[in-house]
Amino acid sequence: MTTSHAGRHAGIVTLLLLVLAAALTPTSSSAAAGNWWDPVARPAPDSRTGVTGEPFKGTDSAGRVRGFVDAHNHIMSNEAFGGRLICGKAFSEKGVADALKDCPEHYPDGSLAVFDFITGGGDGRHDPDGWPTFADWPAHDSLTHQQNYYAWIERAWRGGQRVLVNDLVTNGVICSVYFFKDRSCDEMTSIRLQAQLTYRMQDYVDSMYGGPGKGWFRVVTGSAQAREVIEQGKLAVVLGVETSEPFGCKMILDVAQCDREDIDAGLDELYDLGVRSMFLCHKFDNALCGVRFDSGALGTAVNVGQFLSTGTFWRTERCTGPQHDNPIGLASAPEAEKRLPAGVEVPSYDADAQCNVRGLTELGEYAVRGMMKRTMMLEIDHMSVKAAGRVLDLFESASYPGVLSSHSWMDLNWTERVYRLGGFTAQYMNGSEQFVTEAGRTEQLRDAYGVGYGFGTDMNGVGGWPAPRGRDAPNPVTYPYRSVDGGSVLDRQTTGQRTWDLNTDGAAHYGLVPDWIEDIRRVGGQHVVDDLFRGAESYLTTWGATEHHRPAANLASDARATASSAEWSPVTSYAPARAVDGDRGTRWASDWSDDQWLRLDLGAAHRVSRVTLDWERAYGSAYRVDVSTDGTNWRTVWSTTAGDGGLDTAVFPPVEARHVRLQFLRRGTQWGYSVREVEVR
C-alpha cells in the first residue's frame, strides 16, 4: 500500500484513533542459586527484570494479603481490532525478537504507520525495530506498541504487585474501519482468543519454572484461589471484559440487535472462560446502556462514531443530581465529520444539559441481574450517570457488593455509594502529581470505610501514560531503590540494548510501574503508597463478598395486598396485587391525588430491614414506611421527602413485622402513584 493510499483513509483512521485514544540484553538461561522466584530455564536472549531479592509471601499479622492492584490492563489487545493496531506480543514461544517487533506496515521507517501519525503528530515516522535497540518504542506516548511483555509484568510482580485484571478488549467498529487487519472483526471471537492466550501465557511462564502450576503468573477464577496465589508470593491474574457490543448487543436506530437468550448464552460463555468482571457498554450507546461522554474534539469524533455505529447521535438532558456525564465538546473534528452522510451534521448541545438521556435499558437490567445471579463483578466506568445510578440502585436493593470503578471514568460523587456497598475503586495511571492529588480527594472516604486503593494502568489501551518529570524535578526516583515491602531492590530496567529511567522516559512500559509507584511515594508520601499496598486485600474482599452473596428472600412475593385506591382501566388491571406478583411488566396505580397507601400482609411475623419500590414514571416525592405486628398498631421505620423515582430502597434497623404499609404523602408527578414491584427483605 502506498503513502498516498494511506492518506485517503486518514479521515477514517482519525475517527478510529480518537475513539480508541479515550478507551483503550541477554540473560542467563538458568537460575544460579535455585531461588523459588528465579526461573530454571528462561529463554536466552531475553529481557532483564532489574530486580534482586525475594518477593514477599504470606499475610500480615491480621491475616490480610498485601500488594498492589492493577484493576485495568489489556495484556492481549494486540489480538484485538483486527490484530494490527497494537504491534508486538506479550510473549512468544519463538522468543523476544519475535514478540517485540513492529507491525509489518510500519517498516522500513513508519511511513505507513498512520495510527502513529494521528496519535503522535508529525509525520508518524519512527524506527520500527524493537528488539534489540528499541530506539523509539515502547514509549509513554507511543500508543501502538506492546507495553505488556511478560518480563516487564514480571518486574512489576517482583516490585510488589499481586493482582492484575486483564480486560479482554476489542471494538468491532474500530476494527471495521481500520484498513490493516488480518482477522475478522467479531468481538466475541477476539475475546475468546485473548482468553485462550492468557492461559497460554501462564503455561509459557510455567515452562520456565519447571512445569504446570510453578510459575508466578497465575490465572485465578475465585477470590480464595487468588488469596492462595498471593500468599505464595505470586501474581493473581483476573479476567475481565471491556467491549462495546458484548454478546452482539449493538443498537441500530434504537432497535436492539440481541435478546435475553443472547445475554444468557454470552454470560455463561464468559463465565466458563474464567471472566469474573466486565463492562456492559463502552464508548458507544448499545442495547444495554448509555455511555459517559467524551469531551472536546474527541467527543465530537466519538459522537460521529456513535452515529456511524448506531444511526443516532448522543442525546442529552439536564442532570437531576450532582453527578453528570462529561460535557460533550463542541470543538470541530473535521476529518471525523467528513465521514457523515451528506446533509448530516453533529448536533449542538446545551451547556447545562450534561447527562445522557439513555440509561440502563430493560435488556441492560436483565444483564445486570444475570451478572448478579452468576456472582460477577460489574464495572460502572463508561456508563452514563443514569445507567450507573440504576445499577447502584439495583445493587443496593439486593445488598450486592460487586461493583468496580477501575480507571477514573465514573463521577467521583458515586464513590461513597460504591464503598457503602462494599465495592472497589481505582484511579487511572496518571502522572504522580495528578495521581496524588486525585487520591487525596477520596482519602477520607477510604479511611472511613477502611479500604485500600488501586490503579488502572490501561496499558495497551491507547490512553497515554505518565510523561517524564525530568531528572531535575523535585524528588526524582533515585536508582536503585527498595520495594515497598523492603525485600527487593530495583534498578533501572534493561531490555536488549535499551535501559529505561522513569525520570527521563516516563512510564514507557509495564516494567516501569514499580518506578512510578516509587515516584508517587516521593511526590505524595508513604501514606499514599500504603493505601495502594492495601489494594489487594480490598479487591479480594469485594470479590469474596460478591461470590458469597445470596439474595434474601422477598417476603412480599404474592403477599396479600390492599390499597387506598386503584386506577381504573378498561383494558388492564392496576390492582394492588400487581405490585407483588414478581412481574415488572405489571403495576399497581393509585388515583390521582396525594394521600394514598399500599398495605402488605406478609402472612406471619418476620424480621424485616429493607423495603424496595420499583417505580413506574409516576412516583412519590414524599412517603414513609410503617410496620405493624397486628395490623392495628403502626410505627414509622423510614421516611423521605426527597424521592426521585426509579428504584428506591428504604433501609432501617431490623424489626419484627407482619404488616408493611407504604404511606404516600406527596406525588412527584401530575399523576398518582405507580409501582411495578415492592420487595420486602
Side-chain angles (χ1 to χ4, degrees), residues 572-593:
T572 190
S573 170
Y574 296 121
R578 292 300 185 98
V580 291
D581 61 2
D583 183 355
R584 285 181 164 77
T586 65
R587 58 190 174 95
W588 164 71
S590 76
D591 288 343
W592 294 11
S593 60

Side-chain angles (χ1 to χ4, degrees), residues 25-48:
T25 92
T27 60
S28 167
S29 61
S30 62
N35 298 314
W36 70 267
W37 59 91
D38 288 324
V40 296
R42 186 189 295 277
D46 203 357
S47 174
R48 296 176 180 175

Side-chain angles (χ1 to χ4, degrees), residues 302-576:
V302 177
N303 203 7
V304 171
Q306 157 90 8
F307 180 86
L308 296 178
S309 174
T310 68
T312 60
F313 290 106
W314 288 326
R315 290 179 295 148
T316 65
E317 63 185 6
R318 291 185 178 180
C319 305
T320 58
Q323 297 82 11
H324 59 80
D325 294 318
N326 296 321
I328 300 176
L330 302 180
S332 177
E335 292 301 322
E337 292 174 77
K338 288 178 183 177
R339 311 316 306 169
L340 292 171
V344 176
E345 296 181 352
V346 178
S348 60
Y349 296 93
D350 293 336
D352 63 349
Q354 291 189 10
C355 280
N356 193 337
V357 301
R358 194 172 186 86
L360 193 68
T361 68
E362 289 186 13
L363 281 175
E365 185 161 327
Y366 184 80
V368 170
R369 294 183 185 278
M371 291 182 70
M372 294 168 68
K373 179 180 177 181
R374 294 163 178 82
T375 64
M376 298 172 72
M377 294 179 286
L378 188 148
E379 296 261 12
I380 60 172
D381 284 1
H382 289 297
M383 278 186 168
S384 67
V385 295
K386 201 169 186 178
R390 180 68 176 183
V391 167
L392 293 172
D393 286 344
L394 289 169
F395 282 8
E396 286 167 349
S397 72
S399 299
Y400 190 78
V403 57
L404 305 172
S405 173
S406 62
H407 67 330
S408 301
W409 206 255
M410 75 163 187
D411 190 300
L412 281 180
N413 285 302
W414 293 131
T415 304
E416 185 163 14
R417 287 187 75 180
V418 171
Y419 285 154
R420 191 185 302 126
L421 278 165
F424 181 81
T425 71
Q427 184 188 154
Y428 188 81
M429 189 184 184
N430 293 306
S432 56
E433 292 159 322
Q434 182 180 350
F435 190 93
V436 168
T437 299
E438 286 298 306
R441 291 173 62 181
T442 53
E443 183 177 11
Q444 288 186 342
L445 279 177
R446 291 195 299 279
D447 290 344
Y449 285 90
V451 296
Y453 200 34
F455 53 83
T457 64
D458 201 18
M459 286 206 171
N460 284 3
V462 199
W465 296 273
R469 289 203 297 128
R471 197 179 302 279
D472 296 329
N475 299 313
V477 173
T478 303
Y479 294 93
Y481 63 90
R482 284 199 170 272
S483 59
V484 174
D485 63 287
S488 297
V489 176
L490 293 88
D491 209 337
R492 292 175 180 84
Q493 197 282 320
T494 296
T495 303
Q497 300 168 15
R498 175 75 185 272
T499 298
W500 283 271
D501 182 323
L502 185 83
N503 300 303
T504 54
D505 295 312
H509 63 67
Y510 209 82
L512 294 167
V513 169
D515 309 47
W516 170 74
I517 293 173
E518 172 66 5
D519 202 38
I520 288 173
R521 187 186 70 81
R522 288 177 170 269
V523 169
Q526 185 65 38
H527 70 286
V528 183
V529 176
D530 288 343
D531 267 8
L532 291 173
F533 204 59
R534 288 191 289 269
E537 175 62 36
S538 287
Y539 181 90
L540 295 187
T541 297
T542 293
W543 190 5
T546 302
E547 291 172 313
H548 294 106
H549 177 267
R550 298 294 180 270
N554 177 16
L555 302 174
S557 180
D558 293 322
R560 181 173 177 271
T562 55
S564 54
S565 65
E567 182 181 343
W568 181 85
S569 168
V571 295
T572 190
S573 170
Y574 296 121

Side-chain angles (χ1 to χ4, degrees), residues 191 244 259 261 301 351 404 418 559 566 590 673:
I191 286 169
S244 295
D259 56 24
E261 290 183 358
L404 305 172
V418 171
S590 76
Y673 303 94

Side-chain angles (χ1 to χ4, degrees), residues 42 90 183 231 250 285 316 334 469 555-556 600 672:
R42 186 189 295 277
R183 63 199 64 184
E231 288 173 11
K250 141 180 216 88
D285 293 343
T316 65
R469 289 203 297 128
L555 302 174
L600 308 179

Side-chain angles (χ1 to χ4, degrees), residues 42-256:
R42 186 189 295 277
D46 203 357
S47 174
R48 296 176 180 175
T49 62
V51 186
T52 58
E54 180 176 2
F56 61 88
K57 290 183 177 182
T59 59
D60 66 13
S61 58
R64 297 169 297 204
V65 298
R66 299 163 291 165
F68 305 120
V69 176
D70 180 356
H72 193 101
N73 191 10
H74 304 293
I75 299 176
M76 300 298 173
S77 66
N78 58 289
E79 304 293 346
F81 317 111
R84 298 273 279 276
L85 203 61
I86 305 296
C87 306
K89 306 174 186 176
F91 75 101
S92 171
E93 286 88 350
K94 297 178 182 179
V96 63
D98 181 67
L100 297 179
K101 64 182 180 183
D102 217 334
C103 292
E105 54 273 9
H106 288 200
Y107 290 88
D109 61 0
S111 296
L112 295 183
V114 184
F115 196 109
D116 278 21
F117 169 73
I118 300 296
T119 58
D123 60 9
R125 299 194 179 200
H126 65 276
D127 183 341
D129 288 337
W131 176 271
T133 57
F134 299 103
D136 287 336
W137 66 270
H140 75 90
D141 55 356
S142 174
L143 308 186
T144 65
H145 294 101
Q146 180 62 242
Q147 297 175 294
N148 280 312
Y149 186 58
Y150 91 91
W152 300 337
I153 297 175
E154 180 181 357
R155 175 180 164 91
W157 158 63
R158 294 281 299 272
Q161 188 170 319
R162 290 299 179 267
V163 176
L164 188 158
V165 179
N166 179 28
D167 281 319
L168 315 175
V169 63
T170 192
N171 184 297
V173 174
I174 291 171
C175 174
S176 67
V177 299
Y178 191 52
F179 44 86
F180 294 120
K181 61 177 71 73
D182 56 23
R183 63 199 64 184
S184 82
C185 294
D186 181 72
E187 291 192 354
M188 291 302 291
T189 298
S190 179
I191 286 169
R192 292 181 195 107
L193 175 60
Q194 292 178 53
Q196 292 165 4
L197 286 172
T198 307
Y199 287 104
R200 275 181 56 190
M201 183 164 157
Q202 175 179 260
D203 295 341
Y204 180 72
V205 174
D206 279 353
S207 69
M208 299 181 203
Y209 285 79
K214 295 188 177 181
W216 52 269
F217 185 93
R218 313 306 314 156
V219 181
V220 296
T221 57
S223 64
Q225 182 188 15
R227 286 186 181 278
E228 199 173 297
V229 164
I230 296 170
E231 288 173 11
Q232 294 170 2
K234 300 181 180 182
L235 178 69
V237 179
V238 185
L239 294 183
V241 166
E242 181 185 40
T243 193
S244 295
E245 299 167 9
F247 333 124
C249 283
K250 141 180 216 88
M251 176 186 66
I252 300 178
L253 296 176
D254 290 321
V255 177

